[in-house]
Amino acid sequence: MSSNENRDKLIRTASRLFRSKGYDGVGLKEILAAADLPKGSLYYHFPGGKVELADAATRWAGDWVARMLGQCFETATCFEEGGVKTCETLAANAEHHNSVPACPVVSILQAAPSEPALRKTAEDIHTTWTAGLVRQAERFGVPDPHGAALSLHMRLQGAWILAYAQQSGAPFHQLAAELRKATAG
């Protein structure tokens, strides 16, 4: 395996474990064992250790969410429809994998008080997601694009937390139904 493949494997493995167990619930030994890589590869790629790896893993997963949001809105005919498609995609992903992983940002926030760099990571990712939603709201001529984007972001985040707690896509389906009502009324 190449050096880049090892780095990518560490990032993907850490993301999966952080999202299922939380930052404090996962140790470096567990990440290395799950990735089937030696300790030296971790510190070669992430000399800052767990915090640096968590930053990279969260940004990687955050980028996936940002791309998914863009794809969901790409074919939408209105802002609310983009929200509906986002909910449907997140629910389908949960149902396909038979589990709901935590939002990538939520999975590291518990460490934020003791690791300010991770709080900054979370802030950066949420800012990116909201900015993407603002662009979509502007594209659709929503009167208050920032307010609409922030509201949808908060609603999606709330649905994701409930879906994770329930291990069910039902909260995403509920939010999608509410957004559909907004387009109908």
Side-chain angles (χ1 to χ4, degrees):
M1 206 178 292
S2 75
S3 179
N4 281 342
E5 289 172 327
N6 286 347
R7 183 180 191 283
D8 290 346
K9 190 173 187 182
L10 283 167
I11 288 170
R12 288 189 315 272
T13 301
S15 176
R16 179 178 49 80
L17 290 171
F18 290 145
R19 293 178 70 200
S20 66
K21 296 182 175 189
Y23 178 84
D24 289 339
V26 179
L28 292 177
K29 286 182 182 178
E30 183 177 2
I31 294 168
L32 288 167
D36 195 28
L37 292 170
K39 189 175 187 177
S41 65
L42 174 86
Y43 289 104
Y44 174 78
H45 294 290
F46 303 100
K50 187 177 179 181
V51 171
E52 188 176 347
L53 176 58
D55 174 83
T58 304
R59 289 182 188 280
W60 173 79
D63 287 347
W64 175 84
V65 173
R67 285 189 309 276
M68 181 266 307
L69 285 168
Q71 290 167 353
C72 289
F73 277 86
E74 193 173 278
T75 60
T77 59
C78 66
F79 186 72
E80 292 78 10
E81 185 183 349
V84 168
K85 289 181 178 205
T86 300
C87 290
E88 290 171 346
T89 299
L90 290 168
N93 191 45
E95 290 155 4
H96 175 74
H97 293 289
N98 205 26
S99 69
V100 179
C103 163
V105 174
V106 170
S107 68
I108 63 161
L109 277 177
Q110 68 186 16
S114 61
E115 300 294 351
L118 294 180
R119 187 199 55 74
K120 177 72 171 113
T121 300
E123 182 181 352
D124 290 349
I125 292 168
H126 276 296
T127 298
T128 298
W129 293 348
T130 300
L133 291 171
V134 167
R135 285 190 299 277
Q136 296 297 336
E138 289 171 343
R139 180 171 76 94
F140 289 114
V142 174
D144 176 11
H146 189 269
L150 191 56
S151 177
L152 179 58
H153 184 163
M154 290 186 296
R155 293 172 83 185
L156 286 166
Q157 191 65 60
W160 204 332
I161 289 169
L162 291 172
Y164 178 64
Q166 297 171 9
Q167 284 300 293
S168 164
F172 295 124
H173 292 299
Q174 168 98 27
L175 179 53
E178 290 178 21
L179 293 170
R180 276 189 197 94
K181 286 180 194 173
T183 61

